[in-house]
């Protein structure tokens, strides 16, 4: 078997000397050094009873002699006469390199195949074309040299009613409980060449169709055919030790044939289960990945707050809440249970029509929210007062002992839980279209004016903590405020009893309480570093809260901080797999309009968008607030219409769409799109 070298090129397996021609049903054909990876895979499949098309292989050693100018050996001509019925039957002549169809690289399409070969002269030309494709493939590749061992696979041309490609896992999401089939009329050649799209079927492991997308040149497959393909996926995986990328065809008699099998190069992510999760509702609160201590300080209060809020509002029953993770953290990125927190508008299923309890629960929730509407503003003001009492009761941190600093970390937890819960409940009462002052817009005004007055950022934070709305929560020496800001236009009038204004006030208290614990933790980190127990104050982020508290009480305790490397940002919607990895939920394209009117412009990803761009982002990070005035539009894969940035974008007249799953992949930089903040549509503009 060939391998990949450290410089990225392929290290070919040594040539295997042997007969010049080998039939696919010969045991020697399973040696990929003799017949190449593609033919060897078919030979192994044949040996296990899989339905391949018979044929023969001109071996790698023979190909080297042919490449040096030698004629086709008599054994090859004899095999051609028998298989082609002396030239009367059409053949397919294909490459079978030792670097094709491997687990880490398929090299699909790199080497030539010649279809419909009839007659001796055409056969000679086809063999020469396939051999010459080694050099052609190497010319367009940094990994190939043109000298990799190559065999030539020869098979009868199959008269196929339908054909296509079968993936043993979902090649996009990595879901291992799904099979994906692309099917066209005739053989699979038009599909794999990109000439047509075909029909795309998603199947469960038994072959039951779960979704279908019709495309150009497609063919409708019947249930028995889908079951046969599912069985082929199972059998090829058993033969080759993992899910396969299979080319297949149904012949004129309706028999399924295996044309090619190679490992799926997509990474398997397991079988998803449980609720749909997503970072959207918390992405603005935590726009940066968390380290272990930050997770311990800020996620449990949020989790408990969501539990109390959902149960109090009656939007889910206790069993569902008890079974839900509510909030989970993967690679430092928090995500919440969207099934519990997002309202679903789809038509009721038959079970719901027969069982009135879910609808009654929704009615009961509406009644509860109606009662909360009158009570919550008063409760929220009480909670604000309590939070301010906690904040005001924290003495200067430098004056506290280590044990007192740990006590501050624990004391803030109940207040943070209470403010979170009331902020979630208040969000149920907010009219997203109503203009209002936001914490972010107030912070921008304060920051811009304070800098104009010559104050440093540290002085600004100390005098006007509202600016913390612009800084992600993080255990650090000084909160990181955006460098260049302009004061937005004057704020809309506010009513202190307005649900939206109260929600903004609660959000600010959440941020302030988080900052208190961040400052206390950093102070402890500085002291532990000064005592030689940590390599630096920032390493305190890598401790667990329980470990930090124990270290303060036991000064001889060894500390082992584990600063985690942040994982990849989470999909907008996903389920957890049985391997503990996120598996994206597909089929949820389209977003929600967050206002701001309509506009168009070129798509931009990343920082520093130019004037007139449509900025496409994963999350609504408050640090983006300063760039809003220059944008022609804003599209976010996550978030809600009540997010700080969405509200501020509406205030700035920037068309905004949130919750548009897959927007970063769909809208590439430079593409001109038209965005409608009222309808939630984002469409590419054609010239």
């Amino acid at each position: 078997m060939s391998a990949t070298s450290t410089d990225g090129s392929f290290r070919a397996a040594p040539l295997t000397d042997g007969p010049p021609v080998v039939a696919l049903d010969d045991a020697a054909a399973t040696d990929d050094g003799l017949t190449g990876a593609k033919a060897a895979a078919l030979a192994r499949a044949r040996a296990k009873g899989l339905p391949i098309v018979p044929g023969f292989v001109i071996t790698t050693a023979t190909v080297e002699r042919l490449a040096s100018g030698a004629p086709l050996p008599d054994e090859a001509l004899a095999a051609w006469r028998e298989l082609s019925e002396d030239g009367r039957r059409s053949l397919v002549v294909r490459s079978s390199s030792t670097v094709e169809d491997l687990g880490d690289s398929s090299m699909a399409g790199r080497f030539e195949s010649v279809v419909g070969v009839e007659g001796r002269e055409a056969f000679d030309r086809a063999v020469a074309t396939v051999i010459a494709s080694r050099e052609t493939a190497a010319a367009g590749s940094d990994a190939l040299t043109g000298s990799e061992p190559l065999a030539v696979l020869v098979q009868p041309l199959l008269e196929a009613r339908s054909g296509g490609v079968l993936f043993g896992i979902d090649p996009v999401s990595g879901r291992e409980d799904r099979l994906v089939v692309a099917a066209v009329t005739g053989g699979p050649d038009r599909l794999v060449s990109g000439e047509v799209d075909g029909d795309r079927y998603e199947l469960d492991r038994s072959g039951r169709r779960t979704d279908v997308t019709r495309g150009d040149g497609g063919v409708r497959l019947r249930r028995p055919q889908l079951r046969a393909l599912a069985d082929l996926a199972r059998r090829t995986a058993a033969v080759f030790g993992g899910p396969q990328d299979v080319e297949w065809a149904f012949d004129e008699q309706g028999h399924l044939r295996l044309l090619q099998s190679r490992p799926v190069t997509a990474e398997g992510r397991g079988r998803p289960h449980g609720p749909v999760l997503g970072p959207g509702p918390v992405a603005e609160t935590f726009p940066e990945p968390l380290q272990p201590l930050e997770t311990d300080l800020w996620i449990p209060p949020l989790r408990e707050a969501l539990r109390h809020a959902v149960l109090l509002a009656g939007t889910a029953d206790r069993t569902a809440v008890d079974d839900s993770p509510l909030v989970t953290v993967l690679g430092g990125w928090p995500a919440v249970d969207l099934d519990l927190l997002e309202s679903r508008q789809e038509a009721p299923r038959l079970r719901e029509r027969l069982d009135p309890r879910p609808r009654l629960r929704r009615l009961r929730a509406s009644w509860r929210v109606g009662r909360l509407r009158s009570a919550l503003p008063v409760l929220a003001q009480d909670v604000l007062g309590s939070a301010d009492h906690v904040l005001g009761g924290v003495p200067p941190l430098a004056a506290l002992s280590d044990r007192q600093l740990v006590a501050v970390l624990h004391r803030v937890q109940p207040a943070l839980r209470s403010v979170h819960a009331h902020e979630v409940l208040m969000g149920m009462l907010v009219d997203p279209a109503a203009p209002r002052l936001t914490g972010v817009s107030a912070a921008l005004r304060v920051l811009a004016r304070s800098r104009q007055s010559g104050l440093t950022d540290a002085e600004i934070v100390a005098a006007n903590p509202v600016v913390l709305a612009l800084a992600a929560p993080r255990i650090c020496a000084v909160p990181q405020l955006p460098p260049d800001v302009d004061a937005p236009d004057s704020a809309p009038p506010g009513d202190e009893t307005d649900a939206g204004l109260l929600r903004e006030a609660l959000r600010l208290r959440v941020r302030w309480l988080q900052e208190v614990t961040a400052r206390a933790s950093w102070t402890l980190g500085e002291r532990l570093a000064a005592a030689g127990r940590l390599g630096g104050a920032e390493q305190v982020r890598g401790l667990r809260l329980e470990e930090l508290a124990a270290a303060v009480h036991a000064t001889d305790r060894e500390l082992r901080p584990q600063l985690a490397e942040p994982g990849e940002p989470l999909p907008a919607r996903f389920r957890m797999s049985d391997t503990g990895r996120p598996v994206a939920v597909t089929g949820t394209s389209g977003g929600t309009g967050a206002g701001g009117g309509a506009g168009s412009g070129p798509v931009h990803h990343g920082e520093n968008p130019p004037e007139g761009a449509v900025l496409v982002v994963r999350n609504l990070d408050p640090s983006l607030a300063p760039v809003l005035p220059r944008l022609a539009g804003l599209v976010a894969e996550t978030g809600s219409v009540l997010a700080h940035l969405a509200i501020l974008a509406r205030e700035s007249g920037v068309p905004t769409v949130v919750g548009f799953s897959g927007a970063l992949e769909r809208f590439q930089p430079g593409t001109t799109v038209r965005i409608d903040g009222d309808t939630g549509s984002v469409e590419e503009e054609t010239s």
Side-chain angles (χ1 to χ4, degrees):
M1 178 68 72
S2 58
T4 304
S5 67
T6 56
D7 62 1
S9 62
F10 285 95
R11 194 170 57 242
L15 289 174
T16 302
D17 202 8
V21 173
V22 177
L24 282 177
D25 57 4
D26 190 321
T30 61
D31 180 356
D32 56 1
L34 183 69
T35 61
K38 184 184 301 178
L42 289 176
R44 285 194 286 273
R46 171 86 169 186
K48 296 296 184 179
L50 292 176
I52 74 163
V53 178
F56 66 89
V57 184
I58 301 174
T59 60
T60 53
T62 304
V63 165
E64 294 305 316
R65 289 190 286 271
L66 294 175
S68 299
L72 279 169
D74 292 340
E75 294 89 340
L77 294 176
W80 167 78
R81 290 191 191 95
E82 181 180 355
L83 190 65
S84 69
E85 298 174 0
D86 207 16
R88 294 187 297 274
R89 187 179 186 185
S90 291
L91 303 179
V92 177
V93 179
R94 312 169 71 189
S95 66
S96 181
S97 171
T98 57
V99 299
E100 283 186 278
D101 298 349
L102 305 181
D104 55 356
S105 177
S106 69
M107 288 286 154
R110 289 282 189 179
F111 303 93
E112 288 287 346
S113 293
V114 184
V115 180
V117 178
E118 297 181 353
R120 164 67 192 279
E121 292 183 1
F123 177 64
D124 288 350
R125 289 195 300 271
V127 171
T129 297
V130 171
I131 295 174
S133 70
R134 275 196 306 189
E135 295 184 5
T136 305
S141 170
D142 294 331
L144 299 175
T145 66
S147 60
E148 290 79 13
L150 176 79
V152 178
L153 171 63
V154 184
Q155 295 172 289
L157 177 62
L158 185 70
E159 296 295 334
R161 291 181 179 178
S162 60
V165 178
L166 163 67
F167 293 96
I169 62 174
D170 188 320
V172 176
S173 69
R175 288 185 62 164
E176 297 181 36
D177 63 335
R178 286 284 183 270
L179 310 175
V180 175
V181 174
V184 295
T185 55
D189 304 274
R190 292 187 305 148
L191 178 69
V192 297
S193 68
E195 181 182 339
V196 294
D197 298 331
D199 289 348
R200 183 182 187 277
Y201 296 83
E202 288 187 7
L203 314 177
D204 64 16
R205 306 303 298 187
S206 69
R208 183 177 62 87
R209 190 180 76 187
T210 59
D211 191 25
V212 63
T213 303
R214 301 298 177 189
D216 181 33
V219 62
R220 295 179 183 271
L221 298 178
R222 301 186 305 275
R223 289 183 181 178
Q225 292 174 306
L226 296 175
R227 287 196 295 268
L229 287 167
D231 184 61
L232 182 62
R234 178 186 59 78
R235 294 174 68 190
T236 54
V239 169
F240 298 108
Q244 297 289 295
D245 169 357
V246 171
E247 288 183 29
W248 56 270
F250 285 103
D251 63 20
E252 289 293 345
Q253 290 72 44
H255 299 138
L256 177 60
R257 300 292 184 182
L258 169 64
L259 305 182
Q260 183 173 333
S261 183
R262 56 189 173 218
V264 177
T265 54
E267 182 182 19
R269 305 186 73 86
R271 301 187 179 193
H273 59 88
V276 175
L277 306 170
V282 292
E284 187 180 30
T285 303
F286 301 111
E288 296 180 358
L290 303 176
Q291 287 292 339
L293 183 56
E294 294 161 343
T295 298
D296 286 355
L297 289 173
W298 302 328
I299 295 303
L302 176 60
R303 183 180 292 116
E304 282 302 304
L306 289 175
R307 172 183 172 81
H308 290 306
V310 170
L311 290 176
L312 184 59
T315 54
D317 61 46
R318 186 173 294 274
T319 300
V321 174
D322 289 343
D323 291 342
S324 170
L326 290 168
V327 186
T328 189
V329 179
L330 298 173
W333 298 99
V336 300
D337 185 339
L338 299 180
D339 283 347
L340 282 183
L341 298 183
E342 284 188 348
S343 59
R344 290 174 290 177
Q345 304 297 328
E346 69 265 21
R349 300 176 180 175
L350 176 61
R351 185 174 64 182
E352 290 189 355
R353 290 197 292 267
L354 296 176
D355 182 357
R357 287 175 295 179
R359 284 176 291 159
L360 290 175
R361 185 162 54 247
R362 286 193 289 270
L363 287 173
R364 187 162 57 248
S366 298
W367 175 77
R368 287 189 181 185
V369 171
R371 295 195 64 186
L372 287 171
R373 189 179 301 277
S374 60
L376 265 181
V378 176
L379 291 173
Q381 290 173 336
D382 290 342
V383 170
L384 290 171
S386 298
D388 289 343
H389 178 73
V390 171
L391 290 164
V394 178
L397 298 179
L400 299 180
S401 68
D402 292 354
R403 294 193 179 195
Q404 288 173 320
L405 288 172
V406 171
V408 168
L409 300 182
H410 290 293
R411 181 187 175 195
V412 168
Q413 300 279 306
L416 191 53
R417 180 171 61 244
S418 177
V419 179
H420 266 311
H422 284 81
E423 185 263 325
V424 172
L425 289 169
M426 193 62 68
M428 299 177 183
L429 311 182
V430 175
D431 177 7
R436 67 178 55 84
L437 177 69
T438 66
V440 168
S441 58
L444 284 172
R445 292 183 183 88
V446 170
L447 182 58
R449 292 167 184 168
S450 298
R451 282 179 174 164
Q452 290 172 0
S453 300
L455 297 178
T456 67
D457 282 4
E459 292 171 334
I460 295 171
V461 172
N464 298 283
V466 68
V467 298
L468 290 173
L470 299 171
R474 177 186 173 93
I475 297 173
C476 58
V478 180
Q480 299 300 305
L481 299 175
D484 301 312
V485 300
D486 295 315
D489 296 335
S490 59
D495 180 350
E496 65 179 9
T497 63
D498 174 72
L501 193 60
L502 286 170
R503 185 175 188 241
E504 291 300 304
L506 290 165
R507 283 181 170 186
L508 283 174
R509 268 49 174 207
V510 166
R511 183 64 189 88
W512 294 345
L513 290 166
Q514 291 169 338
E515 187 64 19
V516 167
T517 57
R519 298 285 185 88
S521 299
W522 184 260
T523 302
L524 284 168
E526 288 181 320
R527 294 179 182 179
L528 290 169
R533 301 179 68 188
L534 289 179
E538 71 282 352
Q539 290 191 2
V540 75
R541 302 175 71 210
L543 300 175
R544 308 306 311 208
L545 179 56
E546 182 179 355
E547 184 182 7
L548 177 60
V552 167
H553 288 81
T555 56
D556 59 344
R557 183 186 179 96
E558 182 181 359
L559 296 179
R560 297 179 179 177
Q562 299 290 327
L563 286 170
E565 187 69 26
E568 288 293 320
L570 298 173
R573 302 174 66 86
F574 66 92
R575 283 189 168 92
M576 291 300 298
S577 75
D578 51 5
T579 60
R581 307 183 68 181
V583 178
V585 173
T586 57
T588 56
S589 60
T592 301
S600 63
V603 168
H604 179 84
H605 295 176
E607 299 178 351
N608 300 319
E611 189 80 26
V614 173
L615 181 61
V616 181
V617 298
R618 190 177 300 277
N619 301 322
L620 292 173
D621 187 335
S623 66
L624 295 173
V627 307
L628 286 177
R630 73 176 83 146
L631 298 181
L634 175 65
V635 181
E637 291 192 335
T638 64
S640 76
V641 297
L642 295 176
H644 275 136
L645 205 67
I647 296 171
L648 189 59
R650 288 197 295 275
E651 291 178 9
S652 304
V654 177
T656 302
V657 172
V658 299
F660 198 119
S661 181
L664 281 167
E665 181 178 354
R666 178 170 174 180
F667 304 115
Q668 292 299 306
T671 306
T672 300
V673 298
R674 180 164 183 80
I675 174 173
D676 191 322
D678 297 325
T679 65
S681 69
V682 184
E683 300 291 341
E684 292 187 20
E685 288 191 338
T686 56
S687 56

